[in-house]
Amino acid sequence: MPPRCVRTRAGSDRPQRGRHPPPLRSGRPDVLGDRSVTLVTGATGFLGSALVVSLVEQGEAVRCVVRGATAASRAAKLRTALDGRVAAKDQHRIEVVPGDLAEERLGLSAAGFAALGRDVSRVVHCGARVNMTLPYGPLYGTNVRATEELIELAEACSASFGYVSSLAAVGRSVTGEPFELHDSVSGGYGQTKWSADRLVSVAHQEGRVRAVILRPGRITAHSRTARSNPDDLLERVIRVSAWLGVVPVLDTRVRLSPVDWVSRLVVALFGTERAHGQAYHLIAAQSLLWADVPAALRAAGYEPVELPYQRWRSAVLAAGRDDPAVARLCHALPADRLSFDDRIGCEPRNAARTLAGEYPDLPPAAGLLGGTIAAWQRTGELPSVP
Ligand SMILES: NC(=O)c1ccc[n+]([C@@H]2O[C@H](COP(=O)([O-])OP(=O)(O)OC[C@H]3O[C@@H](n4cnc5c(N)ncnc54)[C@H](OP(=O)(O)O)[C@@H]3O)[C@@H](O)[C@H]2O)c1
């Protein structure tokens, strides 16, 4: 039997690596000659850091808007987020600039804000306050007003605009991948993403910017390294189930859309002229049954006991009294039922059509799940099996 205590660190399931690459630049990058710059927000986040890696791998010069009190702390924050994924020889192409999305004009002077756009030909707006419990008001500044201001910046420097929206912005009755959203959604976070998504589509239709809207569903662990978003509910449920030796019985399907696949799609679509003026739903077309999750845990050597959801939740709540890492999960568990169905009506088709032969392949879902569990065992995010 696996250990029944959870040894994950409070606040993070991600292994800390002791690597100290050279500091990133907080001055102008060595972007040179006719090369232009891609301005990225949210670069320190789960998806944004993967986007920076993908962009730099393509030879782009990237200017990252990072919040923080000092140039040194901002550079250190980005360096930690990139976690050695950008080769030292490429780091000169990353510039770190200050900016707080929650503040008007990102907390910059008019001149400082305008300077963000210097040499910029593309803006990838990925930064947002991702919080499923707050109402619209506290999220508005970061998620909506900042989007409006960044559209204005892109317009002023004739840059194209890639907006990372979310399937949370898409109403349940919506089918296909409409560029402009009409059906309203519930929940403060989804509403702010909806508002920002509309600002972008309207700005495109008015000819102010050339925009691409990218709406990921749940973004899951990296397909090779299994590096995951420590806050992702699905993956926390899987890990905690393995640690506690109990797994819920759920009536839901699961889609695995790895962060590296999503970031490759964002970069490929944003770099494709014919993608502009369209929206893309970035989720895997293939889904698994929830029953495949306990099966994958068994294949990895665990023997979890299957419990009805509410009994499983009680077991987790009890464990959470002694363990802060589990307690964090408890807050996110709904009382009655748990579902991971990602907008099944939003079947993703546009990306494959637009990219044709360039569409990145996704490994079969069952293999992805098994590979992720095996990688978490190697990194210590799951208990080893005797
Ligand atoms: N993860 C998903 O499953 C998922 C699904 C659909 C859509 N999305 C969208 O994808 C984007 C990235 O999500 P994520 O999961 O990567 O989120 P994340 O890990 O929480 O990253 C959010 C990023 O936004 C930045 N940010 C937040 N508030 C800021 C502020 N006031 N000023 C400057 N930067 C700020 C964060 O910077 P700090 O490091 O300073 O906090 C971080 O870089 C978001 O737009 C989200 O809506 C995510």
Side-chain angles (χ1 to χ4, degrees), residues 22-344:
L24 297 162
R25 300 170 61 94
S26 52
R28 212 162 168 213
D30 300 340
V31 196
L32 319 162
D34 56 4
R35 195 183 265 164
S36 61
V37 176
T38 301
L39 184 77
V40 178
T41 67
T44 54
F46 179 54
L47 176 60
S49 60
L51 285 175
V52 170
V53 172
S54 299
L55 288 164
V56 171
E57 274 171 1
Q58 287 201 345
E60 307 262 338
V62 180
R63 179 173 297 148
C64 302
V65 177
V66 177
R67 61 177 160 171
T70 63
S73 67
R74 292 187 290 269
K77 193 193 265 199
L78 183 60
R79 187 180 60 226
T80 302
L82 295 175
D83 192 21
R85 288 177 288 164
V86 174
K89 69 176 177 48
D90 293 327
Q91 292 189 2
H92 66 283
R93 283 192 273 108
I94 300 177
E95 178 187 13
V96 185
V97 294
D100 186 337
L101 300 172
E103 302 288 331
E104 261 181 66
R105 243 180 9 229
L106 277 53
L108 304 171
S109 65
F113 185 71
L116 284 182
R118 193 181 53 210
D119 300 330
V120 164
S121 62
R122 314 197 308 164
V123 175
V124 181
H125 180 30
C126 182
R129 190 164 178 199
V130 183
N131 183 304
M132 305 301 158
T133 51
L134 286 173
Y136 186 87
L139 301 174
Y140 164 81
T142 305
N143 293 0
V144 184
R145 188 193 51 225
T147 304
E148 191 162 21
E149 292 173 339
L150 286 160
I151 292 170
E152 282 164 16
L153 182 76
E155 186 179 1
C157 56
S158 304
S160 53
F161 197 84
Y163 175 57
V164 179
S165 179
S166 171
L167 283 189
V170 180
R172 295 236 164 237
S173 57
V174 172
T175 53
E177 292 162 270
F179 185 57
E180 191 174 353
L181 296 175
H182 294 282
D183 297 23
S184 57
V185 293
S186 59
Y189 168 73
Q191 287 167 344
T192 58
K193 296 300 284 188
W194 181 90
S195 300
D197 192 303
R198 273 191 62 91
L199 286 173
V200 175
S201 61
V202 169
H204 177 93
Q205 279 153 358
E206 290 175 351
R208 295 169 51 207
V209 285
R210 291 184 51 69
V212 182
I213 298 179
L214 306 140
R215 300 187 189 122
R218 173 183 307 284
I219 304 173
T220 54
H222 192 285
S223 62
R224 191 172 36 79
T225 63
R227 180 194 183 94
S228 58
N229 179 352
D231 293 326
D232 180 69
L233 184 58
L234 167 67
E235 294 179 338
R236 289 187 72 87
V237 165
I238 296 174
R239 286 193 293 258
V240 164
S241 293
W243 280 104
L244 296 181
V246 286
V247 65
V249 177
L250 300 177
D251 178 17
T252 182
R253 297 189 74 89
V254 171
R255 296 194 194 213
L256 300 179
S257 307
V259 63
D260 48 315
W261 179 75
V262 173
S263 77
R264 281 176 65 198
L265 276 172
V266 171
V267 170
L269 288 164
F270 194 37
T272 302
E273 193 59 26
R274 62 183 175 280
H276 290 217
Q278 295 198 61
Y280 296 89
H281 293 178
L282 308 183
I283 47 167
Q286 193 188 143
S287 65
L288 291 171
L289 292 170
W290 173 259
D292 293 323
V293 172
L297 289 173
R298 281 192 199 95
Y302 303 108
E303 297 167 25
V305 175
E306 295 194 43
L307 294 178
Y309 173 64
Q310 292 182 2
R311 279 185 56 206
W312 174 85
R313 181 170 176 271
S314 301
V316 175
L317 295 184
R321 285 198 276 276
D322 300 325
D323 191 308
V326 185
R328 255 171 27 92
L329 172 65
C330 297
H331 300 307
L333 292 176
D336 46 354
R337 71 184 279 273
L338 183 60
S339 171
F340 297 110
D341 282 328
D342 263 334
R343 303 291 199 280
I344 295 299

